[in-house]
Amino acid sequence: MDHFFVLVVDDEKEIRDAIEIYLKNEGITVLKAKDGIEALEIINEQQIHLIILDIMMPKLDGISATYKIREKKNIPIIILSAKSEDADKILGLHMGADDYVTKPFNPMELVARVKSQLRRYVTFGTYEGIKKIIDLNGLTLDKAAKEVTVHGDPVKLTPIEYKIVEFLMTHAGRVFSINEIYERVWKEPCYNAENTVAVHVRKIREKIEIDPKNPKYLKVVWGIGYKMEK
Protein backbone atom coordinates (compact mmCIF):
# COMPACT_ATOMS: atom_id res chain seq x y z
CA MET A 1 0.00 0.00 0.00
CA ASP A 2 1.36 3.45 -0.91
CA HIS A 3 2.16 6.05 1.67
CA PHE A 4 -0.89 7.98 2.81
CA PHE A 5 -1.54 11.50 4.04
CA VAL A 6 -4.36 12.05 6.54
CA LEU A 7 -5.67 15.50 7.46
CA VAL A 8 -6.88 15.85 11.07
CA VAL A 9 -9.20 18.83 11.57
CA ASP A 10 -10.15 19.76 15.14
CA ASP A 11 -10.09 23.00 17.12
CA GLU A 12 -8.56 21.20 20.11
CA LYS A 13 -4.79 20.90 19.75
CA GLU A 14 -4.61 18.02 22.24
CA ILE A 15 -6.93 15.91 20.10
CA ARG A 16 -5.04 16.72 16.89
CA ASP A 17 -1.73 15.79 18.48
CA ALA A 18 -3.07 12.59 20.06
CA ILE A 19 -4.51 11.33 16.76
CA GLU A 20 -1.23 12.18 15.02
CA ILE A 21 0.75 9.99 17.44
CA TYR A 22 -1.40 6.92 16.78
CA LEU A 23 -1.52 7.37 12.99
CA LYS A 24 2.23 8.01 12.72
CA ASN A 25 2.79 4.68 14.45
CA GLU A 26 1.00 3.12 11.46
CA GLY A 27 3.30 4.85 8.99
CA ILE A 28 0.71 7.48 8.05
CA THR A 29 1.75 11.10 7.57
CA VAL A 30 -0.56 13.50 9.41
CA LEU A 31 -1.36 17.08 8.50
CA LYS A 32 -3.38 19.19 10.93
CA ALA A 33 -5.86 22.06 10.77
CA LYS A 34 -7.75 23.86 13.52
CA ASP A 35 -10.86 24.76 11.53
CA GLY A 36 -12.70 24.13 8.28
CA ILE A 37 -11.22 27.14 6.47
CA GLU A 38 -7.66 26.03 7.16
CA ALA A 39 -8.59 22.48 6.14
CA LEU A 40 -9.88 23.59 2.73
CA GLU A 41 -6.65 25.53 2.12
CA ILE A 42 -4.53 22.46 2.87
CA ILE A 43 -6.70 20.22 0.68
CA ASN A 44 -6.24 22.62 -2.25
CA GLU A 45 -2.45 22.60 -1.84
CA GLN A 46 -1.67 19.05 -0.72
CA GLN A 47 -2.60 15.55 -1.78
CA ILE A 48 -4.79 14.15 1.01
CA HIS A 49 -6.10 10.57 1.13
CA LEU A 50 -8.45 10.82 4.14
CA ILE A 51 -9.87 13.49 6.43
CA ILE A 52 -10.79 13.20 10.10
CA LEU A 53 -13.14 16.12 10.64
CA ASP A 54 -14.63 17.53 13.85
CA ILE A 55 -18.17 18.95 13.64
CA MET A 56 -18.09 21.79 16.16
CA MET A 57 -15.38 24.24 15.01
CA PRO A 58 -15.05 28.02 14.60
CA LYS A 59 -15.12 29.79 11.21
CA LEU A 60 -16.40 26.77 9.27
CA ASP A 61 -17.96 23.76 11.00
CA GLY A 62 -17.41 20.15 9.97
CA ILE A 63 -20.77 19.69 8.24
CA SER A 64 -20.25 22.78 6.07
CA ALA A 65 -16.65 21.79 5.37
CA THR A 66 -17.80 18.31 4.32
CA TYR A 67 -20.27 19.82 1.88
CA LYS A 68 -17.57 22.05 0.32
CA ILE A 69 -15.05 19.20 0.11
CA ARG A 70 -17.59 16.99 -1.64
CA GLU A 71 -18.04 19.61 -4.35
CA LYS A 72 -14.56 18.72 -5.68
CA LYS A 73 -13.12 15.72 -3.83
CA ASN A 74 -14.19 12.13 -3.29
CA ILE A 75 -11.67 11.24 -0.58
CA PRO A 76 -12.90 9.46 2.59
CA ILE A 77 -14.16 11.66 5.44
CA ILE A 78 -14.57 10.47 9.02
CA ILE A 79 -16.70 12.81 11.13
CA LEU A 80 -15.44 13.25 14.70
CA SER A 81 -17.68 14.93 17.26
CA ALA A 82 -18.73 15.04 20.88
CA LYS A 83 -22.31 14.94 19.69
CA SER A 84 -23.88 11.48 19.77
CA GLU A 85 -27.42 12.26 18.62
CA ASP A 86 -28.61 10.32 15.59
CA ALA A 87 -29.62 13.55 13.84
CA ASP A 88 -26.01 14.80 13.73
CA LYS A 89 -24.74 11.45 12.53
CA ILE A 90 -27.34 11.27 9.80
CA LEU A 91 -26.67 14.87 8.71
CA GLY A 92 -22.94 14.25 8.49
CA LEU A 93 -23.42 11.11 6.43
CA HIS A 94 -25.99 12.84 4.26
CA MET A 95 -23.52 15.63 3.50
CA GLY A 96 -21.03 13.05 2.24
CA ALA A 97 -19.11 11.70 5.23
CA ASP A 98 -18.09 8.04 5.05
CA ASP A 99 -17.98 7.23 8.77
CA TYR A 100 -18.75 8.73 12.15
CA VAL A 101 -16.84 8.47 15.46
CA THR A 102 -18.12 9.92 18.72
CA LYS A 103 -15.92 11.59 21.34
CA PRO A 104 -14.53 10.33 23.62
CA PHE A 105 -13.20 7.69 21.28
CA ASN A 106 -10.95 4.67 21.49
CA PRO A 107 -7.76 5.63 19.57
CA MET A 108 -7.22 2.10 18.27
CA GLU A 109 -10.79 1.97 16.99
CA LEU A 110 -10.25 5.24 15.16
CA VAL A 111 -7.04 3.90 13.63
CA ALA A 112 -8.88 0.75 12.51
CA ARG A 113 -11.61 2.86 10.89
CA VAL A 114 -9.01 5.00 9.13
CA LYS A 115 -7.23 1.94 7.73
CA SER A 116 -10.54 0.41 6.67
CA GLN A 117 -11.57 3.55 4.79
CA LEU A 118 -8.16 3.79 3.10
CA ARG A 119 -8.38 0.16 1.96
CA ARG A 120 -11.86 0.75 0.59
CA TYR A 121 -10.69 3.93 -1.14
CA VAL A 122 -7.80 2.09 -2.80
CA THR A 123 -9.89 -0.92 -3.81
CA PHE A 124 -13.18 0.62 -4.87
CA GLY A 125 -12.73 4.38 -4.98
CA THR A 126 -11.11 6.84 -7.35
CA TYR A 127 -7.64 6.48 -5.84
CA GLU A 128 -4.98 5.94 -8.47
CA GLY A 129 -1.99 5.70 -6.18
CA ILE A 130 0.93 8.02 -5.67
CA LYS A 131 2.39 8.95 -9.03
CA LYS A 132 5.39 6.83 -9.92
CA ILE A 133 6.63 9.27 -12.54
CA ILE A 134 6.56 13.00 -11.83
CA ASP A 135 7.37 15.59 -14.48
CA LEU A 136 7.82 19.27 -13.66
CA ASN A 137 8.46 21.13 -16.90
CA GLY A 138 11.28 18.86 -18.00
CA LEU A 139 12.53 17.75 -14.61
CA THR A 140 11.39 14.11 -14.37
CA LEU A 141 11.56 11.68 -11.48
CA ASP A 142 10.93 7.96 -11.89
CA LYS A 143 10.22 6.54 -8.42
CA ALA A 144 10.35 2.92 -9.56
CA ALA A 145 13.75 3.29 -11.21
CA LYS A 146 15.00 5.87 -8.69
CA GLU A 147 16.11 8.05 -11.60
CA VAL A 148 16.03 11.78 -12.24
CA THR A 149 16.38 13.35 -15.68
CA VAL A 150 16.37 16.90 -17.02
CA HIS A 151 14.84 17.06 -20.50
CA GLY A 152 15.78 13.40 -20.95
CA ASP A 153 19.36 13.68 -19.73
CA PRO A 154 20.09 11.56 -16.64
CA VAL A 155 21.22 13.29 -13.46
CA LYS A 156 23.61 11.52 -11.10
CA LEU A 157 22.47 12.21 -7.54
CA THR A 158 23.73 10.84 -4.26
CA PRO A 159 21.17 8.85 -2.20
CA ILE A 160 20.49 11.85 0.06
CA GLU A 161 20.23 14.23 -2.89
CA TYR A 162 17.75 11.87 -4.54
CA LYS A 163 15.64 11.68 -1.38
CA ILE A 164 15.49 15.47 -1.15
CA VAL A 165 14.48 15.79 -4.82
CA GLU A 166 11.90 12.99 -4.50
CA PHE A 167 10.38 14.54 -1.36
CA LEU A 168 10.12 18.04 -2.82
CA MET A 169 8.88 16.87 -6.23
CA THR A 170 6.23 14.67 -4.62
CA HIS A 171 4.96 17.80 -2.85
CA ALA A 172 5.68 20.27 -5.66
CA GLY A 173 4.55 23.80 -4.93
CA ARG A 174 4.56 23.37 -1.18
CA VAL A 175 7.18 25.15 0.92
CA PHE A 176 9.05 23.14 3.55
CA SER A 177 11.27 24.52 6.28
CA ILE A 178 14.85 23.31 6.62
CA ASN A 179 13.87 21.41 9.77
CA GLU A 180 11.00 19.64 7.95
CA ILE A 181 13.23 18.64 5.05
CA TYR A 182 15.91 17.29 7.38
CA GLU A 183 13.50 15.28 9.51
CA ARG A 184 11.66 13.85 6.49
CA VAL A 185 14.84 12.90 4.58
CA TRP A 186 17.32 11.97 7.31
CA LYS A 187 14.60 10.40 9.51
CA GLU A 188 16.01 11.86 12.71
CA PRO A 189 15.40 14.93 14.92
CA CYS A 190 16.74 18.14 13.48
CA TYR A 191 19.66 19.85 15.22
CA ASN A 192 21.61 22.68 13.56
CA ALA A 193 20.68 21.36 10.12
CA GLU A 194 20.72 24.67 8.23
CA ASN A 195 24.18 24.23 6.72
CA THR A 196 23.70 20.52 6.00
CA VAL A 197 20.50 21.06 4.00
CA ALA A 198 21.84 24.20 2.29
CA VAL A 199 24.94 22.34 1.05
CA HIS A 200 22.84 19.53 -0.41
CA VAL A 201 20.45 21.99 -2.05
CA ARG A 202 23.41 23.81 -3.65
CA LYS A 203 24.77 20.54 -5.05
CA ILE A 204 21.36 19.51 -6.37
CA ARG A 205 20.97 22.86 -8.13
CA GLU A 206 24.36 22.44 -9.77
CA LYS A 207 23.11 19.17 -11.26
CA ILE A 208 19.52 19.99 -12.29
CA GLU A 209 19.55 23.71 -13.04
CA ILE A 210 20.84 25.42 -16.19
CA ASP A 211 21.68 28.45 -14.06
CA PRO A 212 22.05 27.40 -10.40
CA LYS A 213 22.11 31.04 -9.28
CA ASN A 214 18.75 31.62 -10.98
CA PRO A 215 17.01 28.28 -10.39
CA LYS A 216 13.97 27.19 -12.37
CA TYR A 217 13.04 24.18 -10.24
CA LEU A 218 14.42 24.16 -6.70
CA LYS A 219 13.66 27.56 -5.20
CA VAL A 220 14.23 29.21 -1.85
CA VAL A 221 11.42 31.06 -0.09
CA TRP A 222 13.35 33.48 2.07
CA GLY A 223 12.73 33.15 5.77
CA ILE A 224 10.66 29.99 5.31
CA GLY A 225 12.48 27.23 3.40
CA TYR A 226 12.56 25.52 0.00
CA LYS A 227 10.09 24.29 -2.57
CA MET A 228 10.10 22.55 -5.93
CA GLU A 229 8.33 24.74 -8.47
CA LYS A 230 5.34 23.16 -10.19
Side-chain angles (χ1 to χ4, degrees):
M1 184 176 289
D2 286 308
H3 188 76
F4 290 107
F5 292 80
V6 170
L7 176 61
V8 178
V9 190
D10 197 297
D11 59 341
E12 296 185 46
K13 183 178 184 299
E14 294 78 9
I15 291 178
R16 297 196 303 268
D17 292 345
I19 294 175
E20 179 182 27
I21 291 171
Y22 284 95
L23 292 181
K24 284 181 69 175
N25 287 338
E26 299 294 326
I28 296 171
T29 297
V30 175
L31 290 85
K32 296 178 285 186
K34 61 182 179 297
D35 57 60
I37 297 294
E38 187 175 341
L40 292 176
E41 293 173 352
I42 292 174
I43 292 167
N44 287 332
E45 298 174 355
Q46 168 76 37
Q47 185 177 34
I48 300 295
H49 303 103
L50 182 142
I51 305 168
I52 299 173
L53 189 62
D54 186 31
I55 287 183
M56 299 301 292
M57 295 184 296
K59 295 185 180 180
L60 186 68
D61 63 82
I63 298 297
S64 300
T66 298
Y67 180 78
K68 289 185 174 294
I69 292 167
R70 280 291 173 259
E71 291 179 345
K72 297 181 179 179
K73 304 284 185 179
N74 194 38
I75 55 180
I77 298 175
I78 298 177
I79 291 290
L80 185 66
S81 175
K83 290 189 174 183
S84 59
E85 292 83 356
D86 286 341
D88 296 297
K89 178 179 179 180
I90 293 170
L91 180 58
L93 296 173
H94 180 70
M95 287 293 103
D98 298 276
D99 203 351
Y100 190 102
V101 177
T102 303
K103 298 178 184 177
F105 56 88
N106 181 318
M108 299 312 298
E109 178 186 353
L110 178 60
V111 169
R113 288 175 181 266
V114 167
K115 293 170 72 174
S116 175
Q117 288 296 331
L118 287 173
R119 283 195 298 269
R120 186 175 294 114
Y121 183 43
V122 170
T123 305
F124 302 110
T126 58
Y127 176 73
E128 297 178 352
I130 305 298
K131 289 184 178 179
K132 299 301 182 183
I133 297 179
I134 303 173
D135 182 78
L136 302 177
N137 298 313
L139 176 64
T140 304
L141 181 141
D142 186 332
K143 289 188 176 184
K146 301 294 182 183
E147 293 179 348
V148 174
T149 60
V150 178
H151 296 296
D153 296 325
V155 178
K156 293 184 179 181
L157 299 174
T158 67
I160 288 294
E161 290 169 356
Y162 174 83
K163 289 180 181 179
I164 293 173
V165 172
E166 180 183 47
F167 173 64
L168 293 177
M169 287 186 70
T170 300
H171 304 89
R174 182 179 171 191
V175 182
F176 290 91
S177 69
I178 288 174
N179 288 357
E180 287 178 310
I181 293 172
Y182 187 89
E183 291 178 355
R184 296 285 191 97
V185 172
W186 275 263
K187 305 297 183 182
E188 62 184 34
C190 179
Y191 181 73
N192 292 333
E194 290 83 359
N195 188 58
T196 300
V197 174
V199 168
H200 282 84
V201 167
R202 188 187 74 242
K203 291 180 178 178
I204 291 169
R205 281 176 168 167
E206 290 172 352
K207 296 178 180 181
I208 69 172
E209 302 285 358
I210 295 176
D211 181 2
K213 294 183 179 180
N214 184 31
K216 173 183 177 182
Y217 302 113
L218 181 47
K219 296 192 174 183
V220 63
V221 179
W222 295 108
I224 302 178
Y226 297 99
K227 71 172 181 176
M228 195 68 76
E229 195 71 75
K230 284 186 175 181

